[in-house]
Amino acid sequence: MLFRRFLVTLVVFSLVVLLSLSAMAQEKKPFEGVVLNAYFIGGGAYEKLYTKIPEFEEQTGAKVNIAAKLSHFELNKRVAQEFASGGDIDVISTHTTFAPGQKDFLLPLNEYLTPEDLKDFTPSTIEASTVDGKLIMLPRHTDVRIMYYRTDLFEDPKEQEAFKAKYGYDLRPPTNWQELLDVAEFFTRPPDLYGFVFTGGEEPLVGTFYELLLSAGGNFFDEEGNVIFNQEPGQKALQLLVDLYYNKKATPEGVPNYRWDEVAKAFRDGLIAFYFDWPGWYTMMKDPKESKVAGKFGLAPYPVGPAGYAKIWGGSHGFAVAKSTKNPEAAVALVKFLTSGDNLYFEAKEGGFLPASISAYQRLKEDVAKTGDPLDLKRLELLEQELAGFVPPPKIPEYQEIVSAIWPELQKSLVEGRDVKVTLDIAAEKVRKILGR
Amino acid sequence: MRMRGERYFPYVLILPSVVGTFLLIVFPLVYSFFLSLTSFHLLKAQSLRFIGFHNYWEVLHDPAFWVALKNSLLFMVVVVNVELVLGLLVALLLNRASGGQGILRTLFMIPMMFPPILVGLQFRWFFNDQFGLLNNVLLSLGIIDRPIGWLVRTNTAMPAVMFADIWQNTPFTAVVFLAGLLSLPIEPLEAALVDGASPWQRFRYVILPMLRPLILIAMTIRSLDAGRKAFDLIMLMTGGGPAYATEILGTYTFRRAIVDYQFAYGAAISFIDMVLTVGFAVYLYRQLLKGRV
């Protein structure tokens, strides 16, 4: 009898303990039962970070349902449809180039984050992620372009001698636009070698033009929002591209059809003496199986423009929260988790990215210093300088529309040699119309 | 007296297809027409405002639209005519083939069976400036000393795209004409032979008039199809560039509606496109009926 009573007490007691434990556990897991629908950018290197999500689920009790993993163009279309149709969407991958266009549908994160939360991010990336004073995404990693050049060509004494004889100064990776033109012309020996290559179509063309426009001291708009890219700096910028492509024919002729993959492939195939590209190709270029220039290339800073400095176009991938989310706290927590210093370090190490986190960048540099490849370290140091001052595209929702409207006009100067002033005036008129609507 | 059920029975029978047509054709058509009268932009909240025919006015004052329309017409006229002539030649040759006609016919039809997206990829590489087959051949023969960017010159991009389309679709016209040739009555030809008509006269005055309905059918089908099928080819080969040189209505609509998220504007272009296409179809159809009389 006594034993039975003891048994009952024991059962009751353990039940109480269990219940309170689970209650405690519930207290510990703030988002138990919350399901977050995520729409992420997919593909090889991007997906490493998502392997960390189970840790978040473990810590918070929330469940993350990755509804889609797509290329950025496909993802943007899908996300736009979800936004427009009021779908269940909580967290998305986005980019400083696209986020301003999505801003009507994105939750301002300032209200959920403290300055303390943001202090590990590179200030320029936070700046690029802020539109009209609202932080609409948290940066993940950043792309800024850098100059790749062929050391076997630039360091060849015969080439150096021939260059000096022709141009009267020493051959080196170009440090200004005149040198850029000279060196590009010098190394152009079709069909086996061209001096330079650039992305000559669609958004990549507009981005390249934008970068040059800034380095010439101009911009798309002035402070009042007036269209000014057709003024003198814009003309100088476009003229440089026209000189390279149309007048000096110092690039492969297919350039108007070249976007990211094609320019990188042309360099890897040993067809190009120097060019500007994203840092992400670096690993592939070093791989002798993928690249004919493995071990034969170096990195250098951008040449300065007529304005006396080089502005570099860049952008950050990141994560944002949909305004329509039913669980803003949980969604913000997921975004914070994915962009934490530890996770960004993990991702950068695995995928060769440039993390938007200062501490992750520091750790990466320490790792590289230990491995002892001087080019690896130079790359990180050069990019660190560039990261401090990179420029994202104008943060206006109409940017994509503007891109679509002006790239065919820019091409008209490239492929037909149309006067740059005429081209830019037409393009500027189109842009005014888009903004005036 | 007819039973009530019998009276309604036919309507019940056609109901599924009426519902299907309504859901799949009429509703989207009406809805996209409605969209074309608004300022709807997929990424702008509260952009679904009625603005009447403003989009149409904009489209008609959009230089890029007129370039795309001109390119579409040029593309259609050139490829359809070349395909008709080449198809007729191929069909006449195949008709004369004494042996292996079946195998030849199958071989000739292969290009038609490829999805346009594959054809686009194939010709993107064929015409590529650095790695393309065409430049490679011309360079090694010493005809050119520097690769030519076929797809990026304003004067060669369109012919290159047309070439790809002609490669793919000539088999279609050839098959149609071959079927026609095989089913021609033999008596008129025999009569012509007896009267001493030359081969050219037999072709010009006997075969060609008898093939006329088939030519019109092939022309109608290809004309209406040309712009749509070319979309894949052009997107892959040139993306509509350089500088609008290969932009057709289909690619321009895609750019505005899907890339720029301007659904309303895209819908307006589509509607103008549709009105033109329907008008053209009616005209061709009338010609076809005339041919029967």
Side-chain angles (χ1 to χ4, degrees):
Chain A
M1 191 66 197
L2 194 70
F3 178 69
R4 222 170 147 185
R5 193 173 281 176
F6 170 72
L7 213 66
V8 171
T9 321
L10 192 72
V11 168
V12 170
F13 179 74
S14 38
L15 269 176
V16 169
V17 168
L18 261 177
L19 275 173
S20 52
L21 266 179
S22 68
M24 268 165 69
Q26 224 141 35
E27 237 171 16
K28 266 178 123 179
K29 293 194 172 184
F31 304 125
E32 198 71 58
V34 169
V35 177
L36 294 171
N37 286 312
Y39 289 74
F40 286 156
I41 180 169
Y46 290 113
E47 298 194 11
K48 285 273 175 2
L49 182 60
Y50 311 146
T51 61
K52 290 278 181 185
I53 288 178
E55 277 177 32
F56 172 79
E57 294 179 324
E58 181 57 32
Q59 285 165 19
T60 62
K63 169 96 189 64
V64 178
N65 168 36
I66 301 184
K69 279 194 274 193
L70 301 164
S71 75
H72 228 309
F73 180 64
E74 292 299 321
L75 180 73
N76 289 349
K77 276 199 290 184
R78 181 70 191 279
V79 163
Q81 285 162 15
E82 294 293 330
F83 284 155
S85 62
D88 248 341
I89 177 166
D90 301 295
V91 175
I92 63 164
S93 285
T94 186
H95 190 277
T96 46
T97 305
F98 310 124
Q102 300 166 326
K103 76 173 168 43
D104 282 1
F105 299 94
L106 298 182
L107 188 75
L109 300 174
N110 321 50
E111 299 156 26
Y112 296 84
L113 298 171
T114 61
E116 187 67 18
D117 290 325
L118 301 179
K119 78 172 197 313
D120 191 34
F121 290 99
T122 322
S124 58
T125 63
I126 290 294
E127 168 62 32
S129 310
T130 306
V131 178
D132 302 336
K134 288 175 185 149
L135 181 68
I136 53 174
M137 60 173 256
L138 275 186
R140 169 182 183 180
H141 51 253
T142 309
D143 286 322
V144 284
R145 300 207 293 178
I146 190 167
M147 188 198 297
Y148 290 81
Y149 70 95
R150 288 273 297 281
T151 45
D152 58 331
L153 296 173
F154 279 81
E155 287 162 14
D156 181 343
K158 265 188 263 153
E159 300 284 6
Q160 288 173 341
E161 206 180 302
F163 184 86
K164 186 149 193 189
K166 188 165 178 196
Y167 298 96
Y169 60 92
D170 286 329
L171 175 63
R172 56 177 175 181
T175 59
N176 59 48
W177 286 11
Q178 188 53 50
E179 289 180 26
L180 193 161
L181 273 171
D182 292 346
V183 177
E185 180 184 61
F186 175 70
F187 279 119
T188 296
R189 296 148 200 183
D192 303 315
L193 183 67
Y194 297 86
F196 191 69
V197 70
F198 63 95
T199 48
E202 304 187 21
E203 195 236 339
L205 171 61
V206 179
T208 298
F209 167 71
Y210 177 53
E211 192 171 77
L212 298 172
L213 169 69
L214 294 172
S215 302
N219 209 328
F220 273 124
F221 311 107
D222 66 10
E223 269 151 31
E224 281 100 54
N226 299 311
V227 179
I228 55 164
F229 69 85
N230 53 336
Q231 294 174 3
E232 209 192 326
Q235 294 166 26
K236 282 184 184 160
L238 185 55
Q239 191 60 50
L240 178 67
L241 295 178
V242 173
D243 284 344
L244 283 165
Y245 181 79
Y246 185 81
N247 294 330
K248 294 193 186 289
K249 306 205 185 312
T251 72
E253 202 189 328
V255 153
N257 235 349
Y258 283 15
R259 302 193 232 317
W260 310 124
D261 294 349
E262 287 89 352
V263 290
K265 180 170 165 41
F267 186 74
R268 283 205 308 280
D269 284 347
L271 286 170
I272 308 297
F274 73 99
Y275 83 124
F276 311 133
D277 209 343
W278 302 114
W281 294 108
Y282 178 70
T283 329
M284 212 180 192
M285 298 216 180
K286 271 179 55 171
D287 179 358
K289 270 182 275 171
E290 299 276 359
S291 156
K292 289 185 187 159
V293 297
K296 292 194 281 193
F297 72 94
L299 302 167
Y302 258 55
V304 299
Y309 48 75
K311 287 277 183 189
I312 298 163
W313 171 39
S316 293
H317 283 269
F319 295 101
V321 175
K323 220 176 217 171
S324 59
T325 178
K326 292 181 195 79
N327 300 292
E329 280 87 7
V332 172
L334 175 59
V335 170
K336 252 175 79 179
F337 171 83
L338 289 170
T339 56
S340 74
D342 284 344
N343 284 334
L344 290 186
Y345 168 71
F346 165 78
E347 179 183 36
K349 191 129 176 81
E350 293 280 324
F353 296 118
L354 305 177
S357 142
I358 298 169
S359 63
Y361 207 98
Q362 202 50 42
R363 281 162 77 185
L364 218 54
K365 266 190 355 196
E366 284 159 18
D367 290 350
V368 165
K370 272 181 235 153
T371 63
D373 184 340
L375 194 58
D376 284 357
L377 190 61
K378 186 173 184 195
R379 168 176 179 261
L380 284 182
E381 282 169 357
L382 269 176
L383 288 167
E384 195 176 18
Q385 292 165 19
E386 296 191 344
L387 274 174
F390 82 95
V391 191
K395 291 183 275 186
I396 50 172
E398 293 85 359
Y399 182 65
Q400 181 52 49
E401 234 175 287
I402 290 176
V403 165
S404 285
I406 69 177
W407 72 259
E409 300 300 338
L410 300 182
Q411 276 195 340
K412 198 106 182 156
S413 278
L414 285 184
V415 297
E416 291 181 350
R418 181 171 72 183
D419 182 67
V420 294
K421 172 115 178 50
V422 174
T423 288
L424 290 171
D425 285 345
I426 294 174
E429 195 47 48
K430 281 182 153 185
V431 173
R432 277 189 206 108
K433 208 164 155 224
I434 289 170
L435 295 176
R437 207 184 311 144
Chain B
M1 193 184 150
R2 290 168 72 177
M3 285 169 63
R4 253 183 80 190
E6 202 180 328
R7 220 169 109 197
Y8 293 113
F9 192 58
Y11 296 102
V12 175
L13 281 182
I14 63 163
L15 189 67
S17 50
V18 169
V19 171
T21 311
F22 184 82
L23 283 180
L24 296 175
I25 298 175
V26 180
F27 174 71
L29 212 60
V30 172
Y31 183 68
S32 61
F33 181 64
F34 161 73
L35 269 191
S36 75
L37 302 178
T38 69
S39 57
F40 185 58
H41 184 296
L42 196 56
L43 270 183
K44 284 184 187 154
Q46 283 105 39
S47 61
L48 195 60
R49 282 190 318 270
F50 185 77
I51 53 168
F53 283 89
H54 183 72
N55 281 326
Y56 290 86
W57 192 89
E58 288 276 331
V59 172
L60 295 177
H61 289 79
D62 178 353
F65 166 78
W66 290 104
V67 172
L69 181 63
K70 191 200 87 200
N71 285 342
S72 296
L73 288 174
L74 179 74
F75 182 85
M76 189 190 76
V77 169
V78 172
V79 300
V80 170
N81 281 300
V82 174
E83 282 164 19
L84 287 176
V85 172
L86 276 182
L88 192 57
L89 283 174
V90 170
L92 287 168
L93 283 175
L94 277 178
N95 196 29
R96 292 288 298 271
S98 45
Q101 213 189 64
I103 293 175
L104 276 176
R105 223 171 354 185
T106 315
L107 283 178
F108 266 102
M109 276 168 69
I110 287 177
M112 198 168 81
M113 296 171 199
F114 285 130
I117 195 158
L118 283 186
V119 180
L121 267 179
Q122 170 191 319
F123 281 101
R124 185 188 171 115
W125 285 108
F126 180 80
F127 287 115
N128 182 288
D129 64 322
Q130 291 302 320
F131 318 101
L133 184 67
L134 185 58
N135 277 328
N136 208 319
V137 170
L138 293 177
L139 277 171
S140 47
L141 290 179
I143 296 173
I144 53 175
D145 58 356
R146 183 187 169 113
I148 294 175
W150 301 101
L151 297 177
V152 298
R153 292 192 179 177
T154 31
N155 51 355
T156 55
M158 193 52 140
V161 174
M162 288 171 170
F163 181 85
D165 189 86
I166 290 165
W167 181 86
Q168 176 166 40
N169 291 309
T170 299
F172 170 77
T173 52
V175 168
V176 171
F177 294 151
L178 186 63
L181 286 173
L182 290 174
S183 62
L184 287 186
I186 198 88
E187 293 82 2
L189 275 173
E190 280 176 351
L193 264 177
V194 172
D195 290 344
S198 70
W200 166 251
Q201 284 172 326
R202 266 178 282 151
F203 172 72
R204 174 66 189 84
Y205 298 106
V206 183
I207 297 179
L208 206 56
M210 287 198 288
L211 275 182
R212 189 182 139 91
L214 280 172
I215 294 176
L216 276 167
I217 286 175
M219 197 166 138
T220 312
I221 295 178
R222 281 299 304 140
S223 302
L224 298 181
D225 217 28
R228 266 196 309 277
K229 271 200 173 161
F231 176 82
D232 311 42
L233 281 182
I234 290 179
M235 273 329 248
L236 273 158
M237 288 175 70
T238 63
Y244 296 124
T246 56
E247 190 90 296
I248 57 169
L249 280 178
T251 56
Y252 189 58
T253 312
F254 177 82
R255 202 176 307 291
R256 299 310 298 260
I258 310 293
V259 179
D260 296 354
Y261 299 117
Q262 298 224 46
F263 274 33
Y265 197 83
I269 306 176
S270 302
F271 257 85
I272 295 176
D273 187 7
M274 195 193 74
V275 168
L276 292 174
T277 312
V278 168
F280 188 63
V282 167
Y283 168 76
L284 280 176
Y285 207 72
R286 290 232 169 103
Q287 294 297 309
L288 202 64
L289 290 180
K290 251 192 236 165
R292 274 178 59 185
V293 182

